[in-house]
Amino acid sequence: MWRLKIADGGNDPYIFSTNNFVGRQIWEFDPDYGTPEERAEVEAARENFLKNRYQVQASSDLIWRMQFLREKNFKQAIAQVKVEDGKEITKENATTAMKRGAHFFSALQASDGHWPAENAGPLFFLPPMVFCLYITGHLDTVFPVEYHKEILHYLYCHQNEDGGWGLHVEGHSTMFCTTFSYICMRILGEGLDGGRDNACARGRKWIHDRGGVTSIPSWGKTWLSILGLFDWSGCNPMPPEFWFFPSFLPMHPGKMFCYCRMVYMPMSYLYGRRFVGPITPLILELRQELFLQPFNEINWKKVRHLCAKEDLYYPHSLIQDLMWDGLYICTEPLLTRWPFKKLRQKALEVTMKHIHYEDENSRYITIGCIEKSLCMLACWVENPNGDYFKKHLARTPDYTWIAEDGMKMQSFGSQAWDTILALQALIACNMTNEIGSTLKKGHEFIKESQVKENPSGDFKSMFRHISKGSWTFSDQDHGWQISDSTAEGLKCCLLLSTIPPEIVGVKMEPEQLFDAVNILLSLQCKNGGLAVWEPAGASKWLELLNPTEFFADVVLEHEYVECTASSIQALVLFKKLYPGHRTNEIDNFIINAVRFIEDVQIPDGSWYGNWGSCFTYGAWFSLGGLASAGKTYNSCLAIRKGVEFLLKLQGDDGGWGESWLSCPKEKYIPLEGNRSNLVQTAWALMGLLHSGQAERDPTPLHKAAKLLINSQMEDGDFPQQEVTGVFKKNCMLHYAEYRSIFPLWALAEYVRCVPLP
C-alpha cells in the first residue's frame, strides 16, 4: 500500500537540503503496509473515482488523508449541524460548523507542521518524466511496477469520452496531451489496442481523426523529436546562442518570464545538439501508429507551423513566423557548419552552465515539473554517468503524487502556500486554546521555510533576482521567491506574533521580517502592481513572440492583482507593528499599489484573477487589499463596483459558481446549470465581508454561510467540486486543499464579523 512520508531525505548520497528537508513530501510503496480492510478502502476509492470521473474530474486527495486520520485516530466529536429552510443562522450553528471544520483540518497537519496536498491537474506534466526515464534507461528503477499501475490508472481516469485527453483534467481533448498520454501508455507496456476500456485504440482514433500528430504544438514537436518520433527539421529553431545575447537587446534572457526562460534553456541545449534518444522497436512501432503517412515520407519543413485547432489558444503572430523562418532558412544552416559550428559549441557550454546553476540553486528540484524533466535529460545527454544526473534522479520523488485517481506529477508542490493560508484560516477561528499546538507546529514550519539566502555567486549575471527573506510556493529547498507567498507568509507571521508565545511559539526575528519586506518592495513595478517572481519591466510587445500555442503571457513577467493586494495587506499590518521601518517607502508602495488595483478594475466592477478561477478570486483579493489600505464602500468607487459585481452573481442557493472557461475567455461564465462552488462561495463571502457588507445588508452573507454550513460533510470537511486554480489563462491547476481551507476561513470570518442571534 502507498504511504506518504514527511521531511524524509532518505539514504541517497546525491540528495541535499538547506533545512533538513522540512516540507518534503514523498510517496513510497510498502507491500506489507496496511490491513486488508485499509487496502480495500483505498481500492474502493480508486474504483469510485473511475466510475464517477465525468462528474467530478479532480481528485479528493483521499489516500494520504485516510492515512493521517487513521494514524491520528481522528473521530469527529462535534455533532453535524444543518440550517433548515426558513430558519435563521444562529451564533451556535455557525460556531459549531466552524469548530468541526477546524478540528478536522488540524488532524490533517503533517509532523513537520505543513499540510500536504495535491497540486496538479495539467495532463502534460507526467508524460515527459516517463519519456526522460525511458530514454535514459531508468524507467523501471525509478518507476517500478506499482508506479506503472498508478500512472496507467491516472491516464484511464482522465481520458475524455471522445477518446482524447485535455490540457488539464477538466479540459476538452487536445492533440498535445492525447499524443503524450498515448505514448506514455505504450511505453508503460500497454499493447496497440490495450488499456482499460480500449484506451489505446480510442486515443489513437482521436489522433487519426484529426490528421495525425504532425499538428501537435511546438512543445510536443520538441519532445517527439527527442524521442525519435519527429524530425528536428520539423521544429522551429531554438538556438542556444540566445543565452549569450547582450543585455542591451530588447529580447534578452534576463528580461524573460522565468518559467519561459527555464523551459527553453534545456530545450535549446537539446535542440542545439539535435539529440535523439535510442530508436527502440517500440519507437519504430509508434512511428507507424501516430502518423497517417509513412514516417520517412513526411515533409517536415511544411509542418513546422502546424497546430491543431483544439490546441490553439494563442496563435503565432506574423512577425513571429517571419522570425522563425529567418532563423530556419538563414541562421541555422550557418551555425551547424564550420567555422560557425564553434560558436554553437560555445553556446551549448554556456547554456549548460546556466542549467547547472539553476539545478544547484534549487537542490535539483528545478523551478517546476516541465523544467525538471528537460534539465534532467540535458544533464544525462551531457554525461550519462555524471553526478549532475544522479542528483536529479534523487529528486524525482519530490514531484510524484498519489491519490485515488492514480499517480500524477505535481507542478512543484504548494506546501508553503497551502500552509500559510491554512494557518490564517485557523487563526481566524479564534480557537487558540483548542488548537494551539496546531498553530505552533505550523508557525515553526513557516519560520523554517523562509528562504535565508540569495542565489549563490553572481546571481544577477545568471538572470536571477534576490530571494533572501522570501517564501517559495513549496519548500525552502525550491529556492524561488514568490511575491504572494512572501506577502501571505509575512502576514501570517505577524498575526502569530500577536498571540502569546507560550501558545504558538517564539515570534520571528525582526530582521527576517525586514527581509520579507525588502522582497515585496523590490517586486513592485512602475504601474504599482507586483510581479510574482521577478520585477516586470520589459516591453510588452515582446509577448508577440510567445512561442507556445496554448498559453498566454508567458514571454514576460507581468503584474498581478492578487500579488498586489496580498502585499498591501501584509505591509499595512507590518507598518502597524513596526512603524519605524522604511516608513516612507511602504507608504508610497501602498499608494501606488492601491492605484494599480483601481486602474485594472474592469468596467463591470470585476478584477481578472490570474491564479484562481477567476473574477471571483480577483474580487476577493482586490476588495481585501483596498479595505486594508483604508478604503471603504462609501469612499471608494472601486469597492462599490466590486460589491455590485459580486452581489448580482449570487445564486438562488446563496452561492457563487464560476466556470474555468472564464479564465481563457476572459469574461465571467457561470458553471453549467448555475451550480455553486463552495471555494468560490467562500472567496465571494470574504470579499463582501472586507467591503463592510455586514453593516449594510447581511442577507447575502447569511445565504452564503447557510450554503457552506449545510454543505459540510459528516467528518467536518467539505466536498471536492470543480478545479479552482489556474495559470497562464488557459490551464487549470488543482489545489486539493482549497476545499478544506476556504470554506472554513469564510465561516470563521462570518462568525467574527456578522452579528448573529
Side-chain angles (χ1 to χ4, degrees):
M1 199 163 82
W2 291 95
R3 174 167 53 191
L4 185 64
K5 299 176 73 175
I6 299 298
D8 190 325
N11 299 315
D12 195 314
Y14 290 98
I15 196 169
F16 58 103
S17 174
T18 56
N19 66 346
N20 201 26
F21 302 101
V22 169
R24 192 175 194 230
Q25 44 187 27
I26 58 172
W27 288 89
E28 73 166 11
F29 183 79
D30 182 348
D32 300 321
Y33 179 62
T35 66
E37 293 77 17
E38 290 163 358
R39 295 177 192 177
E41 184 183 19
V42 169
E43 196 58 36
R46 286 161 50 84
E47 287 301 313
N48 186 62
F49 184 92
L50 190 67
K51 180 181 177 181
N52 297 290
R53 64 191 183 277
Y54 299 131
Q55 282 70 53
V56 179
Q57 290 93 343
S59 83
S60 297
D61 213 8
L62 293 178
I63 308 302
W64 76 268
R65 288 172 175 240
M66 291 176 179
Q67 173 190 333
F68 275 35
L69 295 175
R70 185 170 61 245
E71 290 173 349
K72 297 182 181 183
N73 197 28
F74 174 79
K75 296 288 187 292
Q76 181 59 260
I78 305 174
Q80 193 169 9
V81 293
K82 298 286 184 182
V83 180
E84 297 178 6
D85 290 342
K87 299 287 187 179
E88 289 187 353
I89 299 176
T90 65
K91 184 89 168 181
E92 183 180 0
N93 290 150
T95 303
T96 298
M98 179 194 74
K99 287 191 171 186
R100 295 180 78 248
H103 283 293
F104 171 83
F105 195 50
S106 294
L108 296 178
Q109 188 179 34
S111 56
D112 67 354
H114 89 277
W115 274 264
E118 174 183 334
N119 186 242
L123 294 174
F124 57 92
F125 280 5
L126 176 62
M129 179 58 74
V130 174
F131 301 164
C132 175
L133 294 172
Y134 177 73
I135 290 167
T136 64
H138 292 77
L139 181 62
D140 292 335
T141 53
V142 177
F143 289 165
V145 62
E146 288 295 334
Y147 289 72
H148 288 210
K149 175 184 173 183
E150 294 293 344
I151 293 170
L152 288 169
H153 180 64
Y154 182 68
L155 295 174
Y156 303 150
C157 282
H158 296 294
Q159 187 173 24
N160 289 334
E161 292 179 276
D162 64 3
W165 283 263
L167 192 65
H168 52 86
V169 295
E170 292 188 359
H172 65 267
S173 297
T174 62
M175 184 64 73
F176 184 37
C177 289
T178 301
T179 302
F180 272 31
S181 297
Y182 179 83
I183 296 170
C184 200
M185 288 191 298
R186 295 286 280 120
I187 287 175
L188 293 174
E190 293 293 10
L192 188 65
D193 297 317
R196 187 160 181 164
D197 298 327
N198 300 311
C200 287
R202 291 166 58 218
R204 189 170 61 254
K205 183 180 186 301
W206 191 96
I207 294 169
H208 287 181
D209 287 348
R210 287 151 185 84
V213 301
T214 51
S215 61
I216 196 169
S218 57
W219 282 15
K221 287 179 169 67
T222 298
W223 268 110
L224 293 189
S225 298
I226 291 167
L227 283 164
L229 296 173
F230 218 78
D231 193 279
W232 280 112
S233 62
C235 298
N236 281 318
M238 293 174 281
E241 289 75 17
F242 176 66
W243 303 105
F244 49 55
F245 270 23
S247 60
F248 63 80
L249 292 177
M251 191 59 181
H252 176 265
K255 298 174 183 177
M256 290 175 69
F257 174 49
C258 57
Y259 274 85
C260 188
R261 186 169 75 234
M262 287 302 302
V263 166
Y264 284 97
M265 191 180 288
M267 275 189 180
S268 69
Y269 178 81
L270 296 165
Y271 171 83
R273 290 194 57 157
R274 300 298 196 275
F275 170 77
V276 178
I279 305 302
T280 64
L282 176 60
I283 295 298
L284 294 175
E285 291 175 21
L286 286 167
R287 285 182 176 181
Q288 295 179 351
E289 296 167 24
L290 295 171
F291 299 91
L292 298 188
Q293 65 269 59
F295 186 82
N296 59 2
E297 295 179 14
I298 297 170
N299 187 334
W300 299 107
K301 293 180 181 179
K302 288 190 174 181
V303 305
R304 284 188 301 117
H305 297 313
L306 288 184
C307 182
K309 62 181 176 59
E310 293 84 356
D311 297 66
L312 189 60
Y313 176 66
Y314 194 95
H316 286 180
S317 62
L318 176 61
I319 187 174
Q320 183 178 168
D321 283 342
L322 290 173
M323 181 190 75
W324 293 133
D325 290 343
L327 289 169
Y328 189 89
I329 296 167
C330 302
T331 308
E332 276 302 306
L334 286 174
L335 289 169
T336 54
R337 289 175 173 82
W338 189 90
F340 300 102
K341 197 172 183 179
K342 292 184 178 180
L343 183 64
R344 171 58 50 92
Q345 185 57 42
K346 177 64 176 175
L348 291 171
E349 292 171 4
V350 169
T351 305
M352 213 55 226
K353 178 183 176 183
H354 280 280
I355 291 170
H356 291 323
Y357 180 85
E358 295 296 344
D359 288 347
E360 284 288 328
N361 279 278
S362 64
R363 275 50 66 181
Y364 288 79
I365 297 171
T366 76
I367 197 173
C369 62
I370 298 301
E371 299 79 2
K372 171 67 176 177
S373 301
L374 287 163
C375 289
M376 185 160 78
L377 181 59
C379 289
W380 182 83
V381 171
E382 182 195 36
N383 183 357
N385 299 311
D387 287 353
Y388 295 127
F389 177 65
K390 292 174 183 176
K391 291 177 182 178
H392 264 295
L393 283 176
R395 281 292 190 172
T396 53
D398 293 68
Y399 278 100
T400 52
W401 191 261
I402 292 284
E404 66 272 21
D405 61 340
M407 176 175 283
K408 69 285 301 265
M409 284 279 282
Q410 300 269 58
S411 62
F412 52 91
S414 54
Q415 299 96 299
W417 176 250
D418 287 338
T419 300
I420 288 165
L421 297 177
L423 286 172
Q424 291 185 67
L426 292 172
I427 292 168
C429 292
N430 194 26
M431 295 167 56
T432 51
N433 291 331
E434 298 177 55
I435 57 171
S437 61
T438 301
L439 296 176
K440 185 174 184 178
K441 283 171 61 179
H443 192 191
E444 288 304 312
F445 171 80
I446 297 301
K447 290 187 290 186
E448 286 286 329
S449 298
Q450 187 185 31
V451 177
K452 305 300 192 296
E453 300 292 340
N454 288 321
S456 63
D458 183 10
F459 58 88
K460 291 184 179 179
S461 70
M462 306 305 283
F463 321 132
R464 290 292 297 269
H465 188 60
I466 60 172
S467 58
K468 183 181 180 182
S470 68
W471 277 270
T472 73
F473 208 63
S474 53
D475 57 18
Q476 188 187 95
D477 282 341
H478 182 258
W480 275 87
Q481 69 285 346
I482 291 185
S483 62
D484 48 355
S485 286
T486 301
E488 297 294 339
L490 173 61
K491 182 169 57 160
C492 192
C493 288
L494 292 170
L495 289 170
L496 287 163
S497 74
T498 65
I499 302 173
E502 56 268 23
I503 297 175
V504 298
V506 178
K507 65 182 181 181
M508 180 172 271
E509 292 294 328
E511 285 299 325
Q512 292 177 267
L513 300 174
F514 299 163
D515 288 339
V517 170
N518 188 53
I519 288 284
L520 297 180
L521 296 179
S522 76
L523 289 171
Q524 188 172 43
C525 306
K526 291 181 180 179
N527 61 6
L530 260 79
V532 180
W533 288 271
E534 298 167 332
S539 301
K540 301 297 185 187
W541 66 265
L542 289 170
E543 284 292 354
L544 292 172
L545 304 180
N546 178 0
T548 65
E549 297 86 354
F550 45 83
F551 291 140
D553 296 342
V554 299
V555 175
L556 307 173
E557 179 68 279
H558 292 268
E559 305 86 2
Y560 302 99
V561 70
E562 304 100 304
C563 304
T564 308
S566 282
S567 299
I568 293 173
Q569 294 179 59
L571 290 178
V572 166
L573 181 56
F574 174 82
K575 184 184 171 186
K576 178 181 177 182
L577 297 177
Y578 294 88
H581 184 75
R582 302 179 73 169
T583 306
N584 291 337
E585 291 174 80
I586 291 172
D587 287 343
N588 289 332
F589 178 103
I590 293 170
I591 291 169
N592 292 328
V594 167
R595 187 185 70 246
F596 172 81
I597 293 176
E598 292 175 337
D599 288 347
V600 299
Q601 188 177 34
I602 299 168
D604 67 357
S606 66
W607 287 272
Y608 183 87
N610 291 273
W611 307 106
S613 57
C614 172
F615 297 97
T616 319
Y617 191 66
W620 169 51
F621 274 101
S622 299
L623 291 171
L626 292 172
S628 68
K631 302 289 183 177
T632 66
Y633 182 86
N634 292 326
S635 69
C636 179
L637 177 61
I639 289 182
R640 293 196 296 275
K641 291 171 64 178
V643 168
E644 182 182 348
F645 171 78
L646 287 177
L647 290 178
K648 72 182 180 184
L649 295 172
Q650 189 172 26
D652 293 338
D653 63 355
W656 282 260
E658 185 176 1
S659 168
W660 72 269
L661 292 169
S662 294
C663 305
K665 295 183 181 298
E666 299 185 50
K667 65 177 182 180
Y668 186 90
I669 298 175
L671 285 171
E672 187 176 346
N674 291 315
R675 303 190 309 275
S676 289
N677 179 285
L678 298 178
V679 172
Q680 293 167 341
T681 297
W683 291 339
L685 174 55
M686 288 192 287
L688 291 172
L689 287 169
H690 286 313
S691 76
Q693 185 68 32
E695 290 80 41
R696 294 188 300 276
D697 176 14
T699 303
L701 308 178
H702 296 320
K703 291 172 64 179
K706 179 179 178 181
L707 177 64
L708 296 179
I709 292 169
N710 287 346
S711 299
Q712 191 175 40
M713 299 191 299
E714 188 174 342
D715 60 6
D717 200 9
F718 295 87
Q720 177 61 51
Q721 297 172 301
E722 296 80 12
V723 174
T724 52
V726 67
F727 64 95
K728 293 305 165 188
K729 296 189 176 180
N730 194 40
C731 196
M732 302 306 292
L733 191 60
H734 177 35
Y735 292 80
E737 212 70 274
Y738 276 13
R739 80 170 200 266
S740 302
I741 294 172
F742 286 111
L744 172 62
W745 195 349
L747 283 175
E749 295 291 352
Y750 173 77
V751 169
R752 184 175 66 87
C753 297
V754 181
L756 293 170

